Structure formats: C-alpha cells, structure tokens
C-alpha cells in the first residue's frame, strides 16, 4: 500500500525539495502540500494523509498549534522537521506534547553525511511511521492477541517478587518523551532507587528534555554525567549521541558515558545499557521497555532475565509505536504488560 504524505512548510523551496526526495521512494506519494497550519488542517480533512510532515515556525498558524488541531480531527501520525538547536529542541518537545508522533532534522545532512543515505533514512522513517502507527491503531493480529492475553489474565506474584529493586532502567524510542513524562510524574520525591533513562534522541535534545522532566516531576531528573554516582530518587537521562554504561558494584553504582563505536545504530542504545546493568546488578533490576520502533532493548532484557531480574513492557493500546515492547513481549520476557499510566502507578507503589 502506498503511503500518502502531506508536506507542511512555509518555504516553497523546501516543499519542492522534500517532495522530490519522497518521490524517489515508490512506497510513498505526496498527495498535497500546505504553506501554514490552517492550510494543513484543510488538506488533512480533504485528503486523509497517512503521514504529515510538519514545520515548526510558519505564518498564520504555527506547527505546534496545527498538530494539536489535526490530532483533534484525525489520528494521523505527524513527523516534525526541526532545527537541531537548543531552541529547536524545546519547540519540538512542545510539539510532541501537543501530539506529534516523531521528529527528524530539517537539515537532512544531520541524518547522514552521505546525501543518498540521508534521503533513504528520511523516506524509511516516513514509511515506518505510517506502517507502525496504523498497525498499532488497527485490530490486533493473531500473534498480538497472544501477547495481549498475557495482560488479561491476572497473576498474583509471591511476596518475594515484590521486593524493591536496587535500580530501575527504562528504555524507549518513538513516543518516548510523552510516555516518560506520564511515568515519571507519578513517582514521589522519595522514590527508593535510582532510575536510568535511555531515550533515542540527538545530543542537542537531551539536555532540554532532562530539564523539562525535572520541572515536571517530584523526583530529580538530569542528564547523566560521566563517573556520576547514582542516588535514589534521581533519574539519569543518557546523553544523546553517546552510550551510557553502568559501572561499579551494588550499593556503589555509577555511570560511564562513552562515545561508543561508529557503526552502532543507536546512540544511546538500550541493549548496551541493559547489558552493562545485567553484568552488575541484573537480579536486583527492574527493566521497563516503553513505546518505540524496532527491537532495541529485547536482548538486554533477555540478559537481565537470565540473571533473575524483572521486566515490564508497555501494552499495545497505549504505545505510540508497538515495536520495542512487542519484541520483549513476544519473546516471553515480560513479567508484566501494562498500560502507560499503570506503569507509573505501580512504580510509585515500590516506595
């Protein structure tokens, strides 16, 4: 099925350039363009696109307002195209809170120094966003009904499984900023253990994201620093463009922030962080996988489970993209499959 795309940007040059790039992928088709938010709303109502690419700053109606109004009319995935600056990061995070699904750099060279590869990544993200989003908001497949059945049958755990973990680690990608906000804002200031957060996000975005979460939450949230000793009641966000590994020993845990290998797909990578956790305190870790494309975190969860740690996964209904949590659930690694609001509530009960 061809993915129908609506391009929204106030620059006619950019609209034309983006349309030409999209035209190189036979799976995609530009069905309309718009120069501001008001036009975008009309085109969404007229053409029912599968994906909308949205600029942030436009005359008449800005992208954030347009996203909010579009989502009220039709549940269409919106891909924000923004500048990867501090101000761009703040505005993009506002757009995600308004209902945008994902974001990419407006300067496509930031995706890859190779022009062809950058264009391929852009087209692939648009296609994945459509297929993942619409699959997630349609009827469950037979395979996913099996996963869903794990949720519908209540299982009483013995008291030993309810002991407070020494560490909580949360991995997520597409839809993660809003999901993390929903989880972390439910936690009390005296949360009994440290939390590691691994969100697929560029380096210019993670400082602003950590600051935003810190103002919204009772717990302390900060971007992790190399060598930092972990403290209870604090959440440490992995810096974008780097890898965050756990070091030390139980009761004296700290993080190592490393460049990682050039060929690594994700920086930060959930699997790498979870693997380092498994080697040190896997049995006393609660790993949580939230919404996101792909399967990053599945192997790391497996290693934590091998060391008798606990794994929770977000359910399909509350996920923006049911990729990462589905990979964990289908592999039989999830001790619990929970709605995003229940994850925060049940974590709070650990206090």
């Amino acid at each position: 099925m061809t993915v129908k795309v609506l391009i929204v940007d106030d620059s006619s040059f950019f609209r034309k350039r983006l349309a030409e790039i999209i035209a190189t992928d036979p799976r995609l088709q530009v069905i309309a363009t718009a120069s501001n938010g008001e036009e975008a709303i009309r085109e969404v109502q007229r053409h029912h696109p599968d994906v909308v690419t949205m600029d942030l700053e436009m005359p008449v109606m800005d992208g954030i307002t347009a996203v909010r109004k579009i989502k009220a009319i039709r549940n269409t995935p919106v891909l924000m195209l923004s500048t990867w600056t501090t101000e761009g990061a703040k505005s993009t995070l506002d757009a995600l809170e308004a209902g945008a699904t994902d974001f990419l750099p407006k300067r496509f060279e930031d995706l890859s120094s190779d022009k062809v590869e950058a264009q391929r990544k852009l087209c692939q993200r648009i296609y994945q966003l459509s297929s993942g989003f619409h699959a997630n908001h349609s009827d469950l497949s037979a395979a996913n009904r099996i996963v869903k059945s794990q949720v519908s049958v209540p299982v009483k755990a013995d008291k030993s499984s309810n002991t407070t973990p020494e560490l909580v680690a949360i991995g997520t990608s597409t839809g993660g900023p809003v999901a993390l906000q929903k989880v972390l804002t439910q936690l009390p200031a005296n949360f009994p253990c440290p939390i590691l957060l691994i969100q697929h996000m560029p380096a210019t975005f993670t400082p602003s994201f950590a600051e935003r979460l810190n103002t919204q939450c009772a717990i302390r949230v900060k971007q992790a620093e190399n060598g930092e000793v972990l403290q209870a009641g604090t959440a440490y966000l992995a810096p974008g463009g780097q890898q965050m590994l756990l070091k030390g020993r139980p009761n004296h845990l700290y993080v190592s922030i490393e460049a990682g290998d050039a060929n690594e797909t994700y920086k930060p990578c959930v699997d790498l962080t979870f693997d380092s956790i498994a080697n040190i305190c896997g049995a006393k870790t609660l790993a949580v996988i939230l919404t996101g494309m792909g399967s990053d975190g599945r192997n790391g969860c497996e290693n934590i489970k091998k060391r008798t740690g606990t794994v929770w996964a977000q359910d399909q209904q509350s996920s923006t993209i049911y990729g990462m949590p589905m990979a964990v659930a289908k592999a039989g690694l999830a001790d619990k499959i929970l709605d995003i609001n229940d994850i925060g509530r049940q974590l709070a009960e650990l206090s």
Side-chain angles (χ1 to χ4, degrees):
M1 185 185 79
T2 303
V3 174
K4 298 180 294 183
V5 183
L6 167 64
I7 297 173
V8 186
D9 196 284
D10 62 337
S11 165
S12 59
F13 172 79
F14 186 81
R15 293 196 302 272
K16 181 181 179 182
R17 181 187 177 207
L18 183 54
E20 289 172 346
I21 292 172
I22 291 173
T24 63
D25 192 321
R27 302 172 298 176
L28 311 178
Q29 178 189 7
V30 176
I31 47 117
T33 64
S35 61
N36 60 62
E38 278 192 2
E39 287 183 14
I41 293 167
R42 290 197 296 269
E43 296 301 333
V44 166
Q45 292 173 315
R46 182 179 302 151
H47 295 286
H48 299 164
D50 298 309
V51 176
V52 177
T53 69
M54 181 72 70
D55 188 20
L56 278 166
E57 297 182 7
M58 296 178 291
V60 184
M61 182 186 291
D62 64 88
I64 296 170
T65 305
V67 167
R68 194 174 291 113
K69 290 181 177 292
I70 287 171
K71 299 299 281 191
I73 297 167
R74 181 178 171 83
N75 197 16
T76 301
V78 178
L79 177 64
M80 302 304 299
L81 297 178
S82 66
T83 57
W84 282 17
T85 62
T86 300
E87 282 306 310
K90 291 177 180 178
S91 297
T92 302
L93 291 169
D94 287 338
L96 293 173
E97 285 190 10
T101 314
D102 203 0
F103 60 93
L104 280 179
K106 193 166 185 180
R107 202 174 76 100
F108 301 137
E109 293 82 359
D110 290 331
L111 284 172
S112 174
S113 56
D114 181 275
K115 181 179 178 181
V116 174
E117 177 63 12
Q119 294 179 356
R120 187 197 67 79
K121 286 185 175 182
L122 171 65
C123 292
Q124 181 67 8
R125 182 66 65 87
I126 293 171
Y127 180 79
Q128 288 177 332
L129 203 55
S130 172
S131 57
F133 185 90
H134 291 294
N136 196 46
H137 292 79
S138 61
D139 291 337
L140 295 174
S141 66
N144 286 344
R145 288 192 191 97
I146 295 171
V147 172
K148 187 173 183 287
S149 70
Q150 298 174 32
V151 194
S152 58
V153 181
V155 177
K156 286 192 175 181
D158 58 49
K159 288 187 177 180
S160 64
S161 67
N162 292 327
T163 56
T164 303
E166 289 188 3
L167 178 68
V168 173
I170 305 177
T172 185
S173 185
T174 311
V178 173
L180 285 172
Q181 178 186 0
K182 289 180 179 179
V183 170
L184 298 178
T185 51
Q186 296 191 59
L187 305 185
N190 65 342
F191 191 72
C193 62
I195 305 170
L196 296 185
L197 308 175
I198 307 95
Q199 161 75 57
H200 295 165
M201 189 173 273
T204 51
F205 278 47
T206 45
S208 296
F209 184 42
E211 289 173 12
R212 177 175 298 234
L213 287 174
N214 190 51
T215 62
Q216 295 169 334
C217 300
I219 63 168
R220 183 186 181 211
V221 184
K222 67 184 301 295
Q223 179 168 280
E225 299 176 56
N226 187 47
E228 192 165 18
V229 177
L230 303 189
Q231 298 180 349
T234 301
Y236 301 86
L237 179 67
Q242 300 182 81
Q243 302 296 0
M244 179 172 69
L245 305 179
L246 186 69
K247 302 282 187 178
R249 61 185 186 279
N251 301 318
H252 186 77
L253 302 172
Y254 65 94
V255 289
S256 175
I257 307 301
E258 303 177 5
D261 295 334
N263 61 350
E264 289 167 348
T265 304
Y266 302 113
K267 288 187 177 184
C269 173
V270 181
D271 277 331
L272 287 179
T273 302
F274 280 19
D275 285 347
S276 69
I277 292 170
N279 291 333
I280 295 174
C281 59
K284 298 181 179 180
T285 295
L286 168 56
V288 184
I289 296 293
L290 304 181
T291 173
M293 291 182 191
S295 60
D296 187 24
R298 193 205 73 84
N299 293 340
C301 284
E302 184 175 27
N303 284 334
I304 288 172
K305 285 289 290 183
K306 285 179 180 177
R307 290 161 175 82
T308 69
T310 303
V311 174
W312 295 357
Q314 186 176 350
D315 68 3
Q316 178 173 1
Q317 287 68 33
S318 67
S319 294
T320 302
I321 301 291
Y322 192 54
M324 289 167 57
M326 180 176 68
V328 169
K330 282 191 170 183
L333 300 172
D335 296 286
K336 292 184 179 182
I337 299 174
L338 300 166
D339 180 275
I340 189 64
N341 295 304
D342 290 333
I343 290 174
R345 178 179 58 79
Q346 293 199 29
L347 280 175
E349 291 174 357
L350 298 175
S351 301

